[in-house]
Amino acid sequence: MPLLAEFVGTFLLILLGNGVVANHSLTGSKGQNSGWIVITAGWGVAVAVGVYASGHISGGHINPAVTLAFAATGLFSWASVPGYIVAQLAGAFAGALTVHLTYSGHYRKTEDPTAILGTFATIPALREPVRNFVTEVIGTAALVFGVLAILAPANAVMPAQGPLLVGLLVFGIGMSLGGPTGYAINPARDLGPRIAHALLRIPHKGGSDWGYAWIPVVAPLVGGVVGAALFSLSGFSTA
């Protein structure tokens, strides 16, 4: 059941998150060119819904960076890490396929390959690998530190409030730190849909940008561990 919950939670994350990007980016959509605030708000809602759907069963990680960070700091069993990550990647892949199904007519009308790729995976605003890597580390560290802070016992957050607050955190990260790279902050969120992009037959889609793809996978894994370690060292967990 926990693995199914992670699959479903990540599926909903991508369905709603990549869905809002498709609504913004694809030709002829009613939400075309709706803007960055709509995208970041949509992703915040997507995270909240994904965690609500899975949190009571699996903990609602829906993100390999969170799973790895929790394991590295003793909050999660290492034995469960591989299964969680596979379930998250599968859920993300299925979510991307469903977004494509929903917007299939608009994909056929869209001639910009960058716009199409952006509905699946992240694309940096400026292609500077070192800075892109650092940006993703910072964003994911902020995510994991923030999640742990929200859930700290001293804050006495009720179970029904936690996912909403995590969604607001992701909304804030997108508004504040998302500009340089599109804030993947989640390896499954980027890799699963990028694989779907590579496999789907979409007119004008172009390449899947595998040369960049390692950054939104590796950097969030590093950033998640950094964020969890900083939270542990800060002493806030016992405040």
Side-chain angles (χ1 to χ4, degrees):
M1 286 297 289
L3 298 185
L4 179 59
E6 284 295 304
F7 175 91
V8 171
T10 314
F11 170 84
L12 290 170
L13 167 70
I14 299 304
L15 178 65
L16 300 180
N18 280 12
V20 75
V21 180
N23 192 22
H24 160 80
S25 300
L26 297 180
T27 299
S29 169
K30 287 183 177 293
Q32 189 175 5
N33 299 322
S34 49
W36 186 246
I37 293 177
V38 170
I39 291 174
T40 53
W43 273 106
V45 171
V47 169
V49 171
V51 177
Y52 272 121
S54 59
H56 61 294
I57 299 173
S58 66
H61 295 187
I62 63 173
N63 183 341
V66 172
T67 299
L68 182 64
F70 282 13
T73 52
L75 299 174
F76 188 67
S77 168
W78 278 107
S80 298
V81 169
Y84 265 51
I85 291 177
V86 169
Q88 292 156 358
L89 284 169
F93 178 79
L97 293 181
T98 309
V99 171
H100 176 260
L101 177 63
T102 304
Y103 283 92
S104 57
H106 298 279
Y107 277 107
R108 288 194 296 270
K109 290 180 176 293
T110 302
E111 298 182 358
D112 181 354
T114 301
I116 292 172
L117 178 60
T119 68
F120 288 88
T122 57
I123 303 169
L126 299 175
R127 192 167 293 267
E128 301 173 323
V130 173
R131 289 186 175 87
N132 298 153
F133 189 95
V134 171
T135 296
E136 285 291 331
V137 169
I138 292 170
T140 314
L143 170 67
V144 172
F145 191 103
V147 167
L148 291 171
I150 289 168
L151 300 178
N155 284 329
V157 173
M158 297 177 62
Q161 297 172 330
L164 177 60
L165 294 174
V166 172
L168 287 173
L169 170 63
V170 171
F171 177 46
I173 289 172
M175 292 290 288
S176 302
L177 305 174
T181 61
Y183 72 119
I185 61 174
N186 181 337
R189 171 264 176 276
D190 194 274
L191 182 58
R194 197 181 295 269
I195 293 171
H197 177 272
L199 295 177
L200 286 167
R201 299 182 64 180
I202 305 172
H204 313 294
K205 76 172 184 178
S208 300
D209 197 8
W210 290 109
Y212 177 77
W214 69 274
I215 291 177
V217 171
V218 177
L221 294 175
V222 174
V225 173
V226 169
L230 289 174
F231 185 80
S232 296
L233 292 172
S234 70
F236 293 161
S237 59
T238 59

